[in-house]
Amino acid sequence: MIEFDVNGEPVAAPETDETLVEVLRDRLGLCGTKLVCGGGVCGACTVHLDGVPVLACLTPTTAAEGRSVTTIEGVGAPLHPIQRAFAAFDALQCGYCTPGFVMAAIGFYDDWRARHGTKRPPRDEIAAALAGNLCRCGAHEAILAAVAAACADDPAIDEPPVRVDALDKVTGRAVFTTDVRLDGMLEGVVVRSPIAHAHLHGLDLDPARALGAVAVDLRRDDPTLRYVGDPIAAVAAPTRREAEDAAAAIGVHLEARPAALVPGADPPVFPDRRSRKRAANASEGPLRPARWRGNVRGPVATSFPPFVARTRIRRTDPARLHGGTFVTASQTHTPLEPHATVARWEGNRLTVWTSTQAVDAVRTELARHLNLDPSQVRVVAEHVGGGFGSKLSMDDTVLAAVELARIARLPVRVVMDRQEELTVGGHRPAVHLDVALAVDDGHLDAITLDAASETGAAINSPVGAIPFFMYGGAPRSMHDWDLLSHHPPGKPFRGPGGPPSLWAVEQVVDDVALSLGVDPIELRRRWDGNPKRRALYDEARALDLWRERPREPGSGRFRRGVGVAAGNWAYFVDPDARIGLEVREGVLRATSSVQEIGTGTRTVIARALAGEFHGAPIEVVIGDSELPYGPMSAGSRTATSVGPAAVAAAEHLRALAAERLAVDLGGPVVAEVDGIRHAGELLPWPDVLPRLEGLSTQATRPGDAGGFLSPFTMLHTRLGRGSSGAVHVVEVEVDTLLGRIRVVRCWAGISAGRMWSPITARSQVEGAVIQGIGYALYEERVLDPASGRTLTANLEDYRIPGIADVPEIEVSFNEEGWEHVPGGGVGIGEVATLPVAAAIGNAVRAATGWRPRRLPIRPEHVVEGVGR
Amino acid sequence: MTLHRPSTLDEALAAAGTPRAGGTDLGERRRAGRHRGPVVDLLGIPDLDDLRIDDGGARLGALVTLDRLATHPELARRYGALTAAVGALATPQVRRMATLGGSLLQATRCWYARAGVSCHRTGGDTCPARDGDHRFHVIFDLGPCAAPHPSTTAMALLVYEATVEVAGGEDRTVAELLGDGTDPTRGDTLGTGELVTGVRLGPTDPGEATAYLRATSRLLAEWPLVECAVRLRLDGGRIAAAAVAAGAVAPIPLRLGAVEARLVDGPPDPDRLEAAAAAAADGAAPLPQTGYKVELLRRTVLATLRRAVGLPD
């Protein structure tokens, strides 16, 4: 045995080639340490070995022999200053990377304090020390501030955290699906297609069963495999390694078929009407009908007024036409918690723990799939380690875990590894865009956009919708095309269609401004009819960042430039969202099936209630389909759906409290936000609640003043009146010698009304900016042209932003214009990321005189484009 | 699965299996199912992490961690290109675990080999990158495998003409250890029953001008598109001796003789450096998608030279 200490306790591990992360998570149940990349890139598994941060996923147990290991569970009592600072500064969102970041930051803290005492460390030193940790939500800006404050003994680190689950996340106590451990639980793996297009002739599961594993066929009703990674079967065994060995033993009899590995080319992925029903939906909206020609589907045309824009563009003098061709890359969601599910059957009742953005929708979908009554299916997601649109439906891990658990009569867990996550976990399709603007005397005369999305085995990529609703009343025509191929299906990704369409349109608008000699913000203000965005333009134009920008491209090696871009997003709301409220042991307990994916949903509900019950202790219990119906986290709808429902429930509970106390106390009782007024006295809520034990209610999200835009509710969704806006101003520094672009500063202006929780909302906007920087500069899914395999199947080759790449970000919320919405505001998660890449493109143009047309803007493109 | 845990060098040489030091490379490949079979854990062998340095040179044990190399003040004073290079690679956590020996002998980063596609490295007899996506591959096409050598450490050691100590075999130079790039199945020449035990460096002159730079898209923690290490001896306003190496451009790290020749005997002024750097890609034959590396190599060499002699970036 190999002996060492873990958090002060002696531990003996067998002499195998296991690494520390298996010992910690699987043998000791210390699940605060996360396994994400498995390759030493992301730092989520960071622990201390003799006080020094190392990677548990790569540290052989032999390296720990005779030494002491400290995990996140070993540092939290009392909370370390780094943990307090992370909580106080809201330096986290989904929380999945947080334990690793905290452990790395404690290492830096110890080192810094030993060398410099309480001097405040500079940003670049912190970034260098934390360069081995990745965060997908984009909490970096607050992490940098938190670490600096902790090192400097800044009293701000002892401010109470706003995010209600912050302490659970900084201590590693928060339980994610990957951390669920049930008695007797088996580990499942999915067997996936090794080739892009094949017919599955037969499946011999017996070799796996001979090894003692449980195995299921996942293709009973569809023998056509349409991409590398398409699920074929699933296998479960007591350990993951045993399951992998059993999976390797399965006989998979495939007949390879010619594959469409060039998007849009033949042979068709879905050759007939029946097979087309199997095409995944790359959007979060309903399918829009369109014509199929082989692997080309479209156009889905949105034009207003009909026929005018294209004719006008055709007839416009070329001198007054602006536009061009733009290309974007495919961006992979890669949430740090992978797709993961634990399934347990008890008789004909099923409980599923799954990492999802849609607890209730997954329950509905699963019940339908299994032909069960929804009441027989329970879906739980207490904490979700990021989603970004990739976790909106019942995925492979759900199907595999449920089927395996049914046969095994034991709980089964299926967790995608990072290679699976980066292959089939989801991606934003790459898009080719042609855009044309006719401009007459400074006015926008017409706009057309043709967008062809590489959707893989999916359809319905919406790209034209975002600019369709911008820039006032000029005739416009947007055509969306899907180019299908035998590649993994595209999925909706944060603001589906928005970033690519704005990458093209907002750069062309910039070109128009340049050619007219007009301030680009002034031109947008003139063209954009949206009064809320106009307020943002005014704010942006007054910024020092904008006013003092260099007006001409620079000439040295390092050139700075400032760019602007705008975006809009529709206002979606779930009018069925409910919040339950109950007084339990003197605590106001709010319940909803809604999930927390890092956006601060628990905090939104808690703050909505805190505003109605001053001083009351509040508990928020969510992420369980047994609780009152809550919305999915999609379309930026969550806060504006649950916040008003929470207020409505609170108002009703106050009324009920007054009724009950009127009986108990006698005489008239008035319930106010501060407490109960009775006989000239104010009894504050903390004192009153114990008398109200068991009092409960539920309320549905009230409607908007003046109603919604869409006449009826479809799929729990209504379109509300008004659209949210974003105007981002970005400063870049371009190293014209070696081609690196650094985003130095970003001002993010958001017009979405009042924020239910401004602190967590700010974090979400910062994260949106950082994801946008990844989209603009680093992220690109690459597939092998010969086989359709994903080459960027690890976090070294698929590059998400690191902490050293993060600019100083200032977030400004414009609160005007949403008075018709209860609570006065709408969602921000999507609108905040839409214009980032376009703003960076415009800033690069301003810095260098060269306009990038292809994403990501890589060093080799700068070297080629800018020259010396 | 067999885990050998030798406690002496002789036992290690006799054990059958893949040697493992820090485990940062092998551990990843095993987790991904790219490597199976017995492992020989080297951590129990005494004294392999010795580090000695004095006026006569330095000896760095094979198990010295990269972090220790990168943060060693005396090493930085005498072998600045090495410590700068090592400090720039991977991540802080990896540098604390990864070792000098492992860094020299790590497996290729080619995304085809890492994905387990059949190729020269994985037991096959083709290079799928050549007909596939090879944007990160070589411009000096020396052998059937088109992947660049991954070792930044080896590249930096080239400018110090280091000697690699091999137990169970002959000591050899770094260039000899890594071979000539024509064997597509491997990135080194170490035979069965041979282990790298350390690296010897000759003395350096005080005041040598050194620098290391890598071209990347992100600021930190990224494999280089192109990298360069420079070591110059300046004497009375002239460059008396020059060693310039480049990585990520060939199946092995390269000394850039043409650049060195144009530097020696000249003044370290911007024009001379520019003229020398212009020769950095002489002899390059880029693949269809790696043409950009030709110019990027020249520029990276120029930027590294300028940094070495203290010219502004």
Side-chain angles (χ1 to χ4, degrees), chain A residues 630-657:
Chain A
M632 63 169 64
S633 299
S636 298
R637 81 188 66 192
T638 321
T640 194
S641 299
V642 299
V647 169
E651 286 169 349
H652 192 230
L653 196 77
R654 277 206 311 261
L656 292 177

Side-chain angles (χ1 to χ4, degrees), chain A residues 729-749:
Chain A
V729 181
V730 164
E731 180 178 23
V732 300
E733 181 189 79
V734 182
D735 176 355
T736 58
L737 190 67
L738 300 184
R740 183 190 299 129
I741 297 166
R742 195 164 66 89
V743 182
V744 183
R745 283 190 285 176
C746 176
W747 180 85

Side-chain angles (χ1 to χ4, degrees), chain A residues 64 71 79-80 100 115 131 135 181 194 257 277 296 299 343 397-398 405 410 426 450 473 482 525 690 702 720 722:
Chain A
T71 71
L79 289 182
H80 190 281
R115 289 187 292 127
C135 167
R181 296 287 187 281
R257 298 259 167 99
K277 290 196 184 348
V296 179
T397 67
V398 178
L410 288 170
D450 288 89
D482 299 323
R525 196 187 181 286

